[in-house]
Amino acid sequence: MKAARLEAIGGFFVREVERPVPGADDLLVRIEAAGICGTDRHLFHGEFPCKPPVTLGHEFSGIVEAVGKAVIHFRPGMRITGDPNIHCGRCAQCQRGRVNLCENLQAIGIHRDGGFAEYVLVPQKQAYELPLSLPPEHGAFCEPLACCLHGIDMAGIEPGSSVVVLGGGVIGMLVVQLARLAGAAAVILVTRQAVRRTLAEEIGATGSFDPTAGDAIQGIAGRTGLLPGGADVVIECAGVAETVEQAPKLARNGGTVVILGVMPQGEKVESEPFDLLFREVKILTSFLNPFTHGRAAALIAAGTIKVDRLISRRIGLDELPDAVANPPRPGEVKVLVMPGLA
Protein backbone atom coordinates (compact mmCIF):
# COMPACT_ATOMS: atom_id res chain seq x y z
CA MET A 1 0.00 0.00 0.00
CA LYS A 2 0.98 3.67 -0.24
CA ALA A 3 1.91 5.57 2.91
CA ALA A 4 3.35 9.04 3.58
CA ARG A 5 6.35 8.54 5.86
CA LEU A 6 8.31 10.99 7.95
CA GLU A 7 11.77 9.43 7.66
CA ALA A 8 13.71 12.28 9.26
CA ILE A 9 13.20 15.95 10.10
CA GLY A 10 12.38 17.57 6.77
CA GLY A 11 12.26 14.19 5.03
CA PHE A 12 8.64 13.27 4.20
CA PHE A 13 7.99 10.84 1.33
CA VAL A 14 5.25 8.65 -0.15
CA ARG A 15 6.46 5.04 -0.10
CA GLU A 16 5.19 1.59 -0.98
CA VAL A 17 5.01 -0.38 2.29
CA GLU A 18 3.47 -3.62 3.47
CA ARG A 19 -0.20 -3.45 4.34
CA PRO A 20 -0.48 -3.91 8.14
CA VAL A 21 -1.96 -7.10 9.58
CA PRO A 22 -4.38 -6.63 12.50
CA GLY A 23 -3.50 -8.12 15.86
CA ALA A 24 -6.10 -9.69 18.11
CA ASP A 25 -7.51 -6.34 19.32
CA ASP A 26 -7.01 -4.34 16.13
CA LEU A 27 -9.18 -3.07 13.31
CA LEU A 28 -7.69 -2.78 9.82
CA VAL A 29 -9.20 0.44 8.50
CA ARG A 30 -9.24 1.61 4.88
CA ILE A 31 -8.70 5.36 5.10
CA GLU A 32 -11.38 7.50 3.46
CA ALA A 33 -10.15 10.89 4.68
CA ALA A 34 -7.39 12.27 6.89
CA GLY A 35 -6.86 15.89 7.87
CA ILE A 36 -3.60 17.82 7.72
CA CYS A 37 -3.03 19.34 11.16
CA GLY A 38 -0.66 22.11 12.17
CA THR A 39 1.04 19.49 14.33
CA ASP A 40 1.97 17.57 11.17
CA ARG A 41 3.87 20.63 9.98
CA HIS A 42 5.53 20.95 13.38
CA LEU A 43 6.58 17.29 13.11
CA PHE A 44 8.01 17.88 9.64
CA HIS A 45 10.09 20.81 10.90
CA GLY A 46 11.20 19.07 14.10
CA GLU A 47 9.16 21.40 16.32
CA PHE A 48 7.15 18.63 18.01
CA PRO A 49 8.56 15.36 19.38
CA CYS A 50 7.94 12.11 17.48
CA LYS A 51 9.71 8.87 16.55
CA PRO A 52 10.58 8.68 12.84
CA PRO A 53 10.43 6.76 10.66
CA VAL A 54 6.65 6.85 11.05
CA THR A 55 3.55 7.30 8.90
CA LEU A 56 1.96 10.59 9.95
CA GLY A 57 -1.75 11.38 10.16
CA HIS A 58 -3.72 11.47 13.42
CA GLU A 59 -7.04 12.92 12.16
CA PHE A 60 -8.72 10.17 10.17
CA SER A 61 -11.78 8.06 9.49
CA GLY A 62 -12.47 5.10 7.26
CA ILE A 63 -14.09 1.73 6.68
CA VAL A 64 -13.25 -1.38 8.68
CA GLU A 65 -11.76 -3.97 6.31
CA ALA A 66 -10.84 -6.70 8.80
CA VAL A 67 -10.84 -7.28 12.56
CA GLY A 68 -8.71 -9.27 15.00
CA LYS A 69 -10.04 -12.33 16.75
CA ALA A 70 -10.66 -10.48 20.05
CA VAL A 71 -12.65 -7.62 18.50
CA ILE A 72 -16.25 -7.65 19.72
CA HIS A 73 -18.12 -4.49 18.75
CA PHE A 74 -16.84 -3.85 15.23
CA ARG A 75 -17.14 -5.74 11.97
CA PRO A 76 -16.03 -5.21 8.37
CA GLY A 77 -18.04 -2.59 6.54
CA MET A 78 -18.48 -0.23 9.48
CA ARG A 79 -17.26 3.35 9.28
CA ILE A 80 -15.16 4.48 12.23
CA THR A 81 -13.17 7.41 13.52
CA GLY A 82 -10.02 6.67 15.48
CA ASP A 83 -8.93 8.39 18.68
CA PRO A 84 -5.17 8.45 18.08
CA ASN A 85 -4.09 8.95 21.69
CA ILE A 86 -3.47 5.60 23.39
CA HIS A 87 -2.97 5.77 27.15
CA CYS A 88 -1.49 2.97 29.22
CA GLY A 89 -4.08 2.94 32.03
CA ARG A 90 -1.37 2.05 34.59
CA CYS A 91 0.72 5.15 35.29
CA ALA A 92 -0.01 7.70 38.03
CA GLN A 93 -1.62 10.17 35.63
CA CYS A 94 -3.92 7.53 34.16
CA GLN A 95 -4.89 6.43 37.66
CA ARG A 96 -5.88 10.05 38.37
CA GLY A 97 -8.03 10.09 35.25
CA ARG A 98 -5.63 12.47 33.46
CA VAL A 99 -5.18 10.12 30.50
CA ASN A 100 -4.05 12.94 28.20
CA LEU A 101 -1.00 13.29 30.46
CA CYS A 102 -0.21 9.56 30.40
CA GLU A 103 3.47 8.92 31.08
CA ASN A 104 3.52 6.24 28.36
CA LEU A 105 1.27 7.94 25.81
CA GLN A 106 1.47 6.51 22.29
CA ALA A 107 -0.20 8.46 19.49
CA ILE A 108 -1.23 7.02 16.14
CA GLY A 109 0.42 9.19 13.49
CA ILE A 110 3.18 10.38 15.84
CA HIS A 111 4.65 7.39 17.67
CA ARG A 112 3.05 4.64 15.60
CA ASP A 113 1.91 4.53 11.98
CA GLY A 114 -1.05 6.77 11.22
CA GLY A 115 -3.70 7.68 8.71
CA PHE A 116 -1.70 9.23 5.86
CA ALA A 117 -1.88 5.87 4.15
CA GLU A 118 -4.32 3.61 2.38
CA TYR A 119 -4.77 1.51 5.54
CA VAL A 120 -4.13 1.96 9.27
CA LEU A 121 -4.39 -0.23 12.36
CA VAL A 122 -6.67 1.05 15.13
CA PRO A 123 -7.03 -0.70 18.52
CA GLN A 124 -10.69 -1.45 19.14
CA LYS A 125 -10.73 0.66 22.32
CA GLN A 126 -9.72 3.69 20.21
CA ALA A 127 -12.48 3.28 17.59
CA TYR A 128 -15.88 5.02 17.48
CA GLU A 129 -18.56 4.12 14.98
CA LEU A 130 -19.89 6.69 12.52
CA PRO A 131 -22.99 6.27 10.35
CA LEU A 132 -22.48 5.10 6.78
CA SER A 133 -24.83 7.91 5.71
CA LEU A 134 -22.28 10.49 6.89
CA PRO A 135 -20.17 12.12 4.17
CA PRO A 136 -16.77 10.36 4.41
CA GLU A 137 -14.84 13.61 4.85
CA HIS A 138 -16.74 14.60 7.96
CA GLY A 139 -15.24 11.82 10.07
CA ALA A 140 -11.78 13.36 9.77
CA PHE A 141 -12.96 16.30 11.90
CA CYS A 142 -13.66 14.17 14.99
CA GLU A 143 -10.12 14.35 16.38
CA PRO A 144 -9.67 18.14 16.18
CA LEU A 145 -13.21 18.61 17.49
CA ALA A 146 -12.42 16.33 20.44
CA CYS A 147 -9.41 18.51 21.32
CA CYS A 148 -11.59 21.63 21.09
CA LEU A 149 -14.20 20.06 23.38
CA HIS A 150 -11.56 19.60 26.08
CA GLY A 151 -10.61 23.26 25.77
CA ILE A 152 -14.25 24.33 25.92
CA ASP A 153 -14.78 22.15 29.00
CA MET A 154 -11.86 23.89 30.71
CA ALA A 155 -13.08 27.36 29.71
CA GLY A 156 -16.30 27.04 31.72
CA ILE A 157 -18.34 29.20 29.34
CA GLU A 158 -21.61 30.29 30.95
CA PRO A 159 -24.82 31.22 29.11
CA GLY A 160 -24.74 34.87 28.07
CA SER A 161 -20.97 35.21 28.40
CA SER A 162 -18.52 36.74 25.95
CA VAL A 163 -15.71 34.87 24.19
CA VAL A 164 -12.78 35.96 22.05
CA VAL A 165 -11.23 33.33 19.77
CA LEU A 166 -7.70 34.06 18.53
CA GLY A 167 -6.90 32.29 15.26
CA GLY A 168 -9.01 31.48 12.22
CA GLY A 169 -7.78 27.99 11.36
CA VAL A 170 -9.87 24.86 11.80
CA ILE A 171 -9.44 24.89 15.60
CA GLY A 172 -10.68 28.48 15.81
CA MET A 173 -13.65 27.71 13.55
CA LEU A 174 -14.64 24.69 15.63
CA VAL A 175 -14.23 26.63 18.88
CA VAL A 176 -16.49 29.40 17.56
CA GLN A 177 -19.27 26.87 17.05
CA LEU A 178 -18.72 25.11 20.37
CA ALA A 179 -18.70 28.43 22.24
CA ARG A 180 -22.10 29.29 20.79
CA LEU A 181 -23.40 25.83 21.67
CA ALA A 182 -22.18 26.42 25.23
CA GLY A 183 -24.37 29.52 25.40
CA ALA A 184 -21.98 32.39 24.70
CA ALA A 185 -23.92 35.47 23.62
CA ALA A 186 -20.93 37.15 21.98
CA VAL A 187 -18.16 35.32 20.12
CA ILE A 188 -15.50 37.43 18.39
CA LEU A 189 -13.00 35.75 16.07
CA VAL A 190 -9.66 37.52 15.54
CA THR A 191 -7.70 36.75 12.37
CA ARG A 192 -5.87 38.67 9.67
CA GLN A 193 -7.53 36.85 6.77
CA ALA A 194 -10.77 38.42 5.51
CA VAL A 195 -12.09 35.17 4.04
CA ARG A 196 -11.77 33.49 7.42
CA ARG A 197 -13.47 36.37 9.23
CA THR A 198 -16.40 36.14 6.83
CA LEU A 199 -16.61 32.37 7.22
CA ALA A 200 -16.55 32.63 11.02
CA GLU A 201 -19.51 34.99 11.03
CA GLU A 202 -21.40 32.69 8.68
CA ILE A 203 -20.99 29.70 11.00
CA GLY A 204 -21.75 31.38 14.30
CA ALA A 205 -19.40 34.19 15.32
CA THR A 206 -21.26 37.34 16.33
CA GLY A 207 -18.38 39.47 15.09
CA SER A 208 -14.78 39.45 13.95
CA PHE A 209 -11.71 41.67 14.17
CA ASP A 210 -8.79 42.26 11.82
CA PRO A 211 -5.65 42.79 13.95
CA THR A 212 -3.92 44.54 11.05
CA ALA A 213 -6.60 47.25 11.05
CA GLY A 214 -5.73 48.56 14.52
CA ASP A 215 -4.68 47.66 18.02
CA ALA A 216 -6.55 44.47 18.89
CA ILE A 217 -6.56 45.14 22.63
CA GLN A 218 -8.12 48.59 22.21
CA GLY A 219 -10.43 47.41 19.43
CA ILE A 220 -11.80 44.55 21.52
CA ALA A 221 -11.22 45.24 25.22
CA GLY A 222 -10.77 49.03 25.25
CA ARG A 223 -13.45 51.38 26.55
CA THR A 224 -14.99 51.77 23.11
CA GLY A 225 -14.09 48.30 21.86
CA LEU A 226 -16.31 45.40 20.84
CA LEU A 227 -16.25 44.04 24.41
CA PRO A 228 -15.44 47.00 26.70
CA GLY A 229 -13.48 45.77 29.67
CA GLY A 230 -12.55 42.52 27.99
CA ALA A 231 -14.02 39.08 27.40
CA ASP A 232 -15.16 36.57 29.98
CA VAL A 233 -13.19 33.90 28.13
CA VAL A 234 -10.31 34.15 25.63
CA ILE A 235 -9.32 31.00 23.73
CA GLU A 236 -5.97 31.07 21.92
CA CYS A 237 -6.13 28.79 18.86
CA ALA A 238 -3.34 30.14 16.64
CA GLY A 239 -0.30 28.74 18.42
CA VAL A 240 1.90 31.80 17.81
CA ALA A 241 3.77 33.94 20.33
CA GLU A 242 1.94 37.15 19.45
CA THR A 243 -1.52 35.79 20.24
CA VAL A 244 -0.39 33.85 23.32
CA GLU A 245 0.99 37.11 24.76
CA GLN A 246 -2.09 39.04 23.66
CA ALA A 247 -4.68 36.64 25.11
CA PRO A 248 -4.53 37.72 28.80
CA LYS A 249 -4.78 41.38 27.81
CA LEU A 250 -8.09 40.68 26.06
CA ALA A 251 -9.65 39.06 29.14
CA ARG A 252 -11.68 41.04 31.64
CA ASN A 253 -10.63 41.27 35.27
CA GLY A 254 -11.32 37.82 36.69
CA GLY A 255 -11.58 36.33 33.20
CA THR A 256 -10.26 33.03 31.88
CA VAL A 257 -7.69 32.34 29.16
CA VAL A 258 -7.33 28.90 27.57
CA ILE A 259 -4.25 28.14 25.49
CA LEU A 260 -5.34 25.61 22.88
CA GLY A 261 -2.97 26.38 19.99
CA VAL A 262 0.31 24.46 19.71
CA MET A 263 3.48 26.58 19.59
CA PRO A 264 6.78 25.10 18.37
CA GLN A 265 8.65 23.24 21.10
CA GLY A 266 11.18 25.52 22.81
CA GLU A 267 9.62 28.82 21.74
CA LYS A 268 9.03 31.32 24.57
CA VAL A 269 6.71 34.25 25.23
CA GLU A 270 6.74 37.21 27.61
CA SER A 271 4.19 37.83 30.34
CA GLU A 272 3.57 40.45 33.02
CA PRO A 273 2.82 38.59 36.29
CA PHE A 274 1.94 41.84 38.10
CA ASP A 275 -0.92 42.49 35.67
CA LEU A 276 -2.12 38.88 35.82
CA LEU A 277 -2.06 38.92 39.61
CA PHE A 278 -3.86 42.20 40.13
CA ARG A 279 -6.52 41.39 37.55
CA GLU A 280 -6.77 37.76 38.75
CA VAL A 281 -6.76 36.39 35.21
CA LYS A 282 -6.91 32.62 35.12
CA ILE A 283 -4.62 31.02 32.50
CA LEU A 284 -5.24 27.39 31.58
CA THR A 285 -3.68 25.09 29.02
CA SER A 286 -5.60 22.40 27.15
CA PHE A 287 -3.82 19.30 25.82
CA LEU A 288 -5.34 16.57 23.64
CA ASN A 289 -8.75 14.98 24.09
CA PRO A 290 -9.29 13.12 27.37
CA PHE A 291 -12.63 11.26 27.13
CA THR A 292 -14.00 13.66 24.49
CA HIS A 293 -13.60 11.70 21.24
CA GLY A 294 -16.93 9.92 21.65
CA ARG A 295 -18.71 13.23 22.20
CA ALA A 296 -17.02 14.65 19.12
CA ALA A 297 -18.11 11.68 17.02
CA ALA A 298 -21.69 12.12 18.22
CA LEU A 299 -21.69 15.83 17.33
CA ILE A 300 -20.26 15.12 13.88
CA ALA A 301 -22.70 12.25 13.26
CA ALA A 302 -25.64 14.47 14.22
CA GLY A 303 -24.49 17.28 11.92
CA THR A 304 -24.48 19.71 14.85
CA ILE A 305 -21.07 21.11 13.89
CA LYS A 306 -20.76 22.63 10.42
CA VAL A 307 -17.68 21.15 8.76
CA ASP A 308 -18.44 21.22 5.01
CA ARG A 309 -17.58 24.92 4.85
CA LEU A 310 -14.24 24.25 6.55
CA ILE A 311 -12.93 21.95 3.80
CA SER A 312 -10.60 23.99 1.59
CA ARG A 313 -9.03 21.27 -0.58
CA ARG A 314 -9.08 17.53 -1.11
CA ILE A 315 -5.78 16.00 -2.23
CA GLY A 316 -4.34 12.56 -2.90
CA LEU A 317 -1.42 10.98 -1.06
CA ASP A 318 1.09 11.98 -3.74
CA GLU A 319 0.33 15.66 -3.13
CA LEU A 320 0.71 15.35 0.63
CA PRO A 321 4.48 15.95 1.12
CA ASP A 322 4.28 19.32 -0.63
CA ALA A 323 1.18 20.32 1.37
CA VAL A 324 2.83 19.48 4.70
CA ALA A 325 6.18 21.10 3.86
CA ASN A 326 4.55 24.45 3.07
CA PRO A 327 2.27 26.80 5.05
CA PRO A 328 -1.47 26.72 4.32
CA ARG A 329 -2.54 28.71 1.30
CA PRO A 330 -4.21 32.08 2.06
CA GLY A 331 -7.74 31.48 3.32
CA GLU A 332 -7.34 27.73 3.75
CA VAL A 333 -8.93 26.17 6.80
CA LYS A 334 -8.65 22.39 6.40
CA VAL A 335 -6.96 20.30 3.71
CA LEU A 336 -8.09 16.68 3.57
CA VAL A 337 -6.06 13.79 2.25
CA MET A 338 -8.18 11.20 0.47
CA PRO A 339 -6.10 8.18 -0.59
CA GLY A 340 -8.76 7.19 -3.11
CA LEU A 341 -8.06 10.31 -5.18
CA ALA A 342 -5.74 9.84 -8.11
Side-chain angles (χ1 to χ4, degrees):
M1 70 171 188
K2 280 185 174 182
R5 306 272 292 167
L6 183 68
E7 298 180 354
I9 302 307
F12 189 42
F13 307 97
V14 176
R15 304 295 195 196
E16 286 286 339
V17 300
E18 291 294 320
R19 183 185 299 184
V21 176
D25 289 303
D26 292 331
L27 314 178
L28 177 66
V29 179
R30 174 173 54 82
I31 295 294
E32 292 183 298
I36 298 176
C37 174
T39 299
D40 295 313
R41 293 188 171 95
H42 287 317
L43 291 165
F44 175 82
H45 292 292
E47 299 167 342
F48 193 99
C50 72
K51 294 184 177 180
V54 65
T55 300
L56 298 186
H58 57 274
E59 305 175 359
F60 59 84
S61 63
I63 301 295
V64 177
E65 289 279 312
V67 300
K69 62 183 180 181
V71 174
I72 299 172
H73 300 296
F74 298 92
R75 62 182 183 276
M78 285 182 167
R79 173 174 289 138
I80 67 102
T81 167
D83 175 356
N85 300 303
I86 305 170
H87 62 275
C88 72
R90 302 180 304 275
C91 71
Q93 293 290 1
C94 284
Q95 293 297 307
R96 296 185 183 106
R98 303 297 300 274
V99 296
N100 56 320
L101 304 180
C102 172
E103 296 165 13
N104 306 298
L105 190 72
Q106 292 285 304
I108 299 171
I110 296 176
H111 306 103
R112 53 194 289 177
D113 290 340
F116 287 162
E118 293 179 311
Y119 295 88
V120 68
L121 291 181
V122 180
Q124 64 172 330
K125 71 173 185 175
Q126 304 299 123
Y128 295 83
E129 186 180 3
L130 293 171
L132 291 173
S133 59
L134 188 75
E137 298 96 325
H138 290 197
F141 285 87
C142 292
E143 194 278 341
L145 182 62
C147 293
C148 293
L149 279 167
H150 181 44
I152 289 289
D153 289 347
M154 297 188 75
I157 296 170
E158 297 180 352
S161 60
S162 58
V163 178
V164 169
V165 180
L166 297 170
V170 68
I171 299 299
M173 295 296 177
L174 294 174
V175 165
V176 162
Q177 296 181 67
L178 290 174
R180 293 305 305 272
L181 284 175
V187 177
I188 308 297
L189 181 96
V190 181
T191 182
R192 291 180 172 87
Q193 298 190 33
V195 64
R196 290 181 172 183
R197 294 196 300 274
T198 298
L199 176 58
E201 293 185 18
E202 291 173 350
I203 63 173
T206 59
S208 61
F209 188 84
D210 177 4
T212 67
D215 183 86
I217 297 167
Q218 289 302 313
I220 295 172
R223 291 184 179 180
T224 60
L226 294 169
L227 299 171
D232 297 309
V233 174
V234 180
I235 306 180
E236 198 287 326
C237 301
V240 296
E242 179 183 357
T243 50
V244 171
E245 291 179 355
Q246 191 179 68
K249 300 172 185 177
L250 294 171
R252 64 166 173 80
N253 292 356
T256 297
V257 174
V258 178
I259 306 299
L260 191 54
V262 178
M263 287 180 58
Q265 186 179 28
E267 190 168 342
K268 295 177 173 58
V269 299
E270 293 184 356
S271 68
E272 187 180 349
F274 182 93
D275 177 68
L276 299 177
L277 174 68
F278 275 75
R279 295 199 303 116
E280 205 171 65
V281 174
K282 182 189 298 182
I283 299 181
L284 304 171
T285 60
S286 175
F287 183 58
L288 297 183
N289 58 340
F291 307 116
T292 56
H293 202 95
R295 289 163 56 195
L299 287 169
I300 292 292
T304 305
I305 302 297
K306 302 179 181 71
V307 296
D308 261 334
R309 298 289 307 280
L310 308 185
I311 302 172
S312 304
R313 280 192 289 155
R314 298 167 176 83
I315 64 174
L317 279 171
D318 290 334
E319 301 170 82
L320 180 55
D322 181 69
V324 168
N326 292 290
R329 295 175 181 176
E332 279 190 341
V333 176
K334 177 59 73 176
V335 177
L336 293 181
V337 182
M338 303 186 72
L341 292 178

